[in-house]
């Protein structure tokens, strides 16, 4: 699987769940802590090309996936590929 990029905040439960899902599935990921990086939702929106209202915002490679719920569905739907 392509590199997963998670834009989020350490104080966000769904952000932490996205990280834990990557770790449990052994998916390569990059965590971008928006607070530590001084990023706003507008900054993330500029990077992903879509308005941002919530975090996390997750990409797989260059493909925008969405938030945690969409990412967990994506992982389930691609589980067979991920097992290779």
């Amino acid at each position: 699987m392509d590199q997963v990029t998670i834009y989020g905040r350490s104080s966000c439960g769904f952000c932490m769940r996205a990280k834990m899902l990557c770790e449990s599935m052994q998916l390569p990921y990059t965590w971008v802590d928006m607070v530590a990086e001084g990023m706003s939702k507008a900054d993330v929106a500029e990077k992903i090309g879509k308005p941002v209202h919530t975090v996390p915002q997750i990409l797989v490679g260059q493909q925008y996936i969405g938030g945690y719920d969409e990412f967990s569905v994506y992982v389930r739907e691609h589980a067979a590929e991920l097992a290779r």
Side-chain angles (χ1 to χ4, degrees):
M1 173 182 254
D2 288 334
Q3 180 82 17
V4 175
T5 303
I6 305 169
Y7 292 94
R9 297 184 179 121
S10 296
S11 61
C12 165
F14 285 107
C15 300
M16 295 298 99
R17 289 171 72 183
K19 284 178 63 173
M20 289 189 311
L21 180 57
C22 287
E23 290 168 4
S24 70
M25 297 293 292
Q26 298 180 359
L27 304 176
Y29 75 96
T30 299
W31 166 250
V32 181
D33 186 322
M34 293 170 57
V35 174
E37 298 293 325
M39 297 177 75
S40 68
K41 289 178 184 175
D43 295 327
V44 175
E46 189 176 307
K47 289 194 175 288
I48 66 174
K50 298 192 179 291
V52 172
H53 303 290
T54 61
V55 291
Q57 293 296 308
I58 303 170
L59 295 98
V60 175
Q62 297 300 313
Q63 179 185 358
Y64 175 72
I65 303 300
Y68 173 78
D69 291 338
E70 293 84 4
F71 181 57
S72 64
V73 168
Y74 179 91
V75 169
R76 272 196 311 272
E77 288 175 349
H78 294 84
E81 295 171 35
L82 301 174
R84 293 182 203 163

